[in-house]
Amino acid sequence: MNKTIVEDWEFTISVIRQNPCRMGFEVDDTFYCKYECPAGFCPKTMAVLHSLCEAARAGGDYTLLGGQAKNQIDFFCADGVIQFRLIANHIG
């Protein structure tokens, strides 16, 4: 594989509230990614995560979606049992 695009965003996704789920996530489990899917992340919730990451890459402001800051938003998994906190950081 030869990646030709240098990513200028990185994302931190942390579990902030849990209920039993198939993935076994627990509070403080943390995932990191740039463009790729985070290793071990829930495949059902990946569509939600991808949309939020794309919003940041396009210059979006998470406060317009109910986020706590321009680069931070809490969201639920596809099943509504896990709550995540996403933090987007521009590195380029």
Side-chain angles (χ1 to χ4, degrees):
M1 180 182 339
N2 183 18
K3 292 180 85 171
T4 58
I5 296 174
V6 176
E7 297 298 333
D8 57 354
W9 284 89
E10 60 185 12
F11 301 92
T12 303
I13 308 101
S14 301
V15 175
I16 60 171
R17 191 177 330 166
Q18 75 179 64
N19 286 297
C21 80
R22 288 181 168 173
M23 298 298 295
F25 292 150
E26 297 177 342
V27 171
D28 294 330
D29 284 351
T30 303
F31 304 88
Y32 303 95
C33 66
K34 290 186 179 178
Y35 185 77
E36 70 282 355
C37 301
F41 196 73
C42 175
K44 242 175 126 171
T45 304
M46 193 57 220
V48 176
L49 177 62
H50 179 73
S51 297
L52 290 170
C53 291
E54 286 298 297
R57 286 186 189 97
D61 183 340
Y62 289 146
T63 62
L64 300 173
L65 298 173
Q68 299 84 340
K70 180 178 178 166
N71 71 327
Q72 179 180 314
I73 191 167
D74 295 348
F75 69 98
F76 282 93
C77 73
D79 292 328
V81 296
I82 302 294
Q83 188 174 19
F84 296 99
R85 175 162 293 145
L86 171 64
I87 300 174
N89 292 305
H90 190 261
I91 56 174

